[in-house]
Amino acid sequence: MAETVHMIDSEVFLAFSTYATIVVLKMMLMSLMTSYFRLTKQVFSNLEDTNLAKTTEDRKKLVRVDPDVERVRRCHLNDLENIVPFVVIGLLYALTGPDLSMALLHFRVFVGSRFIHTVAYVMALPQPTRALAFGVGLFITFSMAYRVLTTALFL
Amino acid sequence: MAETVHMIDSEVFLAFSTYATIVVLKMMLMSLMTSYFRLTKQVFSNLEDTNLAKTTEDRKKLVRVDPDVERVRRCHLNDLENIVPFVVIGLLYALTGPDLSMALLHFRVFVGSRFIHTVAYVMALPQPTRALAFGVGLFITFSMAYRVLTTALFL
Amino acid sequence: MAETVHMIDSEVFLAFSTYATIVVLKMMLMSLMTSYFRLTKQVFSNLEDTNLAKTTEDRKKLVRVDPDVERVRRCHLNDLENIVPFVVIGLLYALTGPDLSMALLHFRVFVGSRFIHTVAYVMALPQPTRALAFGVGLFITFSMAYRVLTTALFL
């Protein structure tokens, strides 16, 4: 990490910015997908969200749990659990000055794996599609963490 | 992103640091609010958390779900889902060297929208207060992501 | 924050990189622990995850909730709620140029507290072990936020 100052201007850092933004935007789309399912299926978590229904009795019935909504929410939580580590460790990795081609390989494979993970989760594709996509993403983040710890270790 | 090195010292970066810290502290307060509701209402998730009750029978009864606690927890999770993208994309946005006034506008509106979102969620204010606060925050993050991708795109 | 450019190369930043990576890796291990419990106890959230069972009837029975799995998932969510603020505020704190000894104290105590928190949560150790570990981590993050806001305040 001796020349990190110059690294922030580097192509590696631009690539990190691009892929991190794309994958975080993908994660944010899960919020919109949850809202879409909640509205089209009329499934809510809060009584105050049901104000399009007429009677109080009707409104209470709309506060319920739906398997499709829960599926999207599990996918969203899995994104948080995996994309946040990628962003944190990826930022530090970008500052260690890796080769551009190696960095691009890491970023592209990770982002691709998370898009496949989302499709596999939301469409309930047969396993091990989703498990493999999850595992590839995990492996990429571990690989970047390995470089950060071997380059910058200071305990 | 040609001059990002100088940007870290800039007023935009100081403003980002200030608003990111404030909104992350707000998110952390949700943990304390959950603890407060759990203790005052005696509602716990784990048997080992109920050790102020006397008998084992009494303790088991305290491991339960409470609508007020769940409401605070949903608000906390919504914070995670929205404030994490703001922090990540906001950091990259600050490094693209935006005008200070534009940056301040983004940061202030986002942080304001999340405070309104929390009040609307915890107090169960009538919709669309909470939905609007959520949407404004989302829009701000999308707007910053647009600048990052148009300034720093490197695929 | 006058000399932040030079700070990115500093020992404080290397120390932050090291401890942030370690504690994020610890958080990621919760995913693997959840998978381990799900597979060994045969407890799943999705019907498509149960494809090792033979009949459809057997498979539906495996989509269920298990207290041990839920415990690990609560621990994982608590990590997200606390480690994400540490990483964000810790990064900004590292850029304020604190004394190396003070910074190391903050990073080490935080990371130690989260390891203790995980052990206490997963093994259901008697309280207040887990509550204290949680509180110490929260205090460290508040202490770093205090320095960021007093050093870099720009509203």
Side-chain angles (χ1 to χ4, degrees):
Chain A
M1 255 197 198
E3 304 220 325
T4 44
V5 175
H6 309 292
M7 291 304 155
I8 283 195
D9 271 325
S10 71
E11 293 180 320
V12 169
F13 198 80
L14 293 178
F16 170 74
S17 300
T18 302
Y19 286 100
T21 301
I22 289 170
V23 81
V24 169
L25 287 175
K26 190 222 78 58
M27 181 168 80
M28 294 172 76
L29 287 184
M30 304 313 292
S31 287
L32 297 179
M33 201 185 290
T34 303
S35 301
Y36 174 78
F37 274 105
R38 285 202 183 284
L39 289 169
T40 53
K41 301 195 78 171
Q42 291 285 299
V43 179
F44 300 100
S45 301
N46 304 290
L47 193 59
E48 72 267 24
D49 302 349
T50 62
N51 52 5
L52 298 179
K54 278 169 194 148
T55 68
T56 308
E57 208 52 44
D58 283 354
R59 294 180 62 172
K60 278 185 185 163
K61 279 184 199 152
L62 299 182
V63 178
R64 52 189 170 151
V65 170
D66 176 86
D68 291 346
V69 172
E70 293 309 301
R71 177 176 284 278
V72 176
R73 296 188 64 227
R74 284 197 299 275
C75 183
H76 196 172
L77 188 57
N78 194 284
D79 267 359
L80 266 176
E81 291 168 358
N82 288 278
I83 291 175
V84 168
F86 166 78
V87 168
V88 173
I89 292 174
L91 173 70
L92 300 173
Y93 168 80
L95 296 176
T96 65
D99 283 342
L100 178 61
S101 58
M102 278 301 289
L104 282 171
L105 183 68
H106 280 81
F107 300 157
R108 285 171 184 161
V109 172
F110 181 86
V111 173
S113 78
R114 294 311 300 182
F115 273 95
I116 294 169
H117 182 273
T118 301
V119 172
Y121 214 147
V122 173
M123 302 186 68
L125 297 187
Q127 288 282 25
T129 315
R130 198 184 88 229
L132 282 176
F134 167 79
V136 167
L138 211 66
F139 176 79
I140 291 289
T141 308
F142 282 144
S143 167
M144 296 193 304
Y146 177 78
R147 184 177 160 93
V148 171
L149 290 182
T150 50
T151 316
L153 193 69
F154 190 101
L155 285 166
Chain B
M1 258 199 196
E3 305 219 326
T4 43
V5 175
H6 310 293
M7 290 304 155
I8 282 195
D9 270 325
S10 70
E11 292 181 320
V12 169
F13 198 81
L14 292 179
F16 170 74
S17 301
T18 301
Y19 286 100
T21 301
I22 289 170
V23 81
V24 169
L25 287 175
K26 190 223 78 58
M27 181 167 79
M28 295 173 74
L29 286 184
M30 304 312 292
S31 287
L32 297 180
M33 202 185 289
T34 304
S35 301
Y36 173 78
F37 274 106
R38 285 203 184 283
L39 289 169
T40 52
K41 301 192 79 171
Q42 291 284 299
V43 179
F44 301 99
S45 302
N46 305 289
L47 194 58
E48 71 267 23
D49 301 351
T50 61
N51 52 4
L52 297 179
K54 279 172 195 146
T55 69
T56 308
E57 207 51 44
D58 284 353
R59 294 180 62 171
K60 278 186 184 163
K61 278 184 199 152
L62 299 182
V63 178
R64 53 189 168 151
V65 169
D66 176 86
D68 290 345
V69 172
E70 293 309 302
R71 177 176 284 279
V72 176
R73 296 188 62 225
R74 284 196 300 275
C75 182
H76 196 171
L77 187 58
N78 194 284
D79 267 359
L80 265 176
E81 291 169 359
N82 288 280
I83 291 175
V84 168
F86 167 78
V87 168
V88 173
I89 293 175
L91 173 69
L92 301 172
Y93 168 80
L95 295 176
T96 64
D99 284 342
L100 178 61
S101 58
M102 277 302 288
L104 282 172
L105 183 68
H106 281 80
F107 301 157
R108 285 172 184 162
V109 171
F110 181 87
V111 173
S113 78
R114 295 310 302 183
F115 273 94
I116 293 170
H117 181 273
T118 301
V119 172
Y121 215 147
V122 174
M123 302 187 68
L125 298 186
Q127 288 281 26
T129 315
R130 198 185 87 229
L132 282 177
F134 167 78
V136 167
L138 211 67
F139 177 79
I140 291 288
T141 308
F142 283 145
S143 167
M144 297 194 303
Y146 177 78
R147 183 175 161 95
V148 172
L149 289 181
T150 50
T151 316
L153 193 69
F154 190 101
L155 284 167
Chain C
M1 256 198 200
E3 305 219 323
T4 44
V5 175
H6 309 293
M7 290 304 154
I8 282 195
D9 270 325
S10 71
E11 294 182 318
V12 169
F13 199 80
L14 292 178
F16 171 73
S17 300
T18 302
Y19 286 100
T21 301
I22 289 171
V23 80
V24 169
L25 287 175
K26 190 225 77 60
M27 181 167 80
M28 294 173 75
L29 286 184
M30 303 313 291
S31 287
L32 297 179
M33 202 185 290
T34 304
S35 301
Y36 173 79
F37 275 105
R38 285 202 183 284
L39 289 169
T40 53
K41 302 194 79 172
Q42 291 284 300
V43 179
F44 300 100
S45 302
N46 304 290
L47 193 58
E48 71 267 25
D49 302 350
T50 62
N51 52 5
L52 298 180
K54 280 172 193 148
T55 69
T56 308
E57 207 53 43
D58 283 354
R59 294 180 61 172
K60 277 186 186 163
K61 279 185 198 152
L62 299 182
V63 178
R64 52 190 169 150
V65 169
D66 175 87
D68 291 346
V69 172
E70 292 309 301
R71 177 177 284 278
V72 175
R73 296 188 62 227
R74 284 196 300 275
C75 183
H76 196 171
L77 188 58
N78 194 284
D79 267 359
L80 266 176
E81 292 168 359
N82 288 279
I83 291 175
V84 168
F86 167 79
V87 168
V88 173
I89 292 173
L91 173 70
L92 301 172
Y93 168 79
L95 295 176
T96 64
D99 283 342
L100 178 60
S101 58
M102 277 303 287
L104 282 172
L105 183 68
H106 281 80
F107 301 157
R108 285 172 183 161
V109 172
F110 181 85
V111 173
S113 78
R114 295 310 301 181
F115 274 94
I116 293 170
H117 182 273
T118 301
V119 172
Y121 214 147
V122 173
M123 303 186 67
L125 298 187
Q127 289 280 28
T129 314
R130 198 184 89 229
L132 282 177
F134 167 80
V136 167
L138 210 67
F139 177 79
I140 291 289
T141 308
F142 283 144
S143 167
M144 296 193 304
Y146 177 77
R147 184 176 159 95
V148 171
L149 290 181
T150 50
T151 316
L153 193 69
F154 191 101
L155 285 167

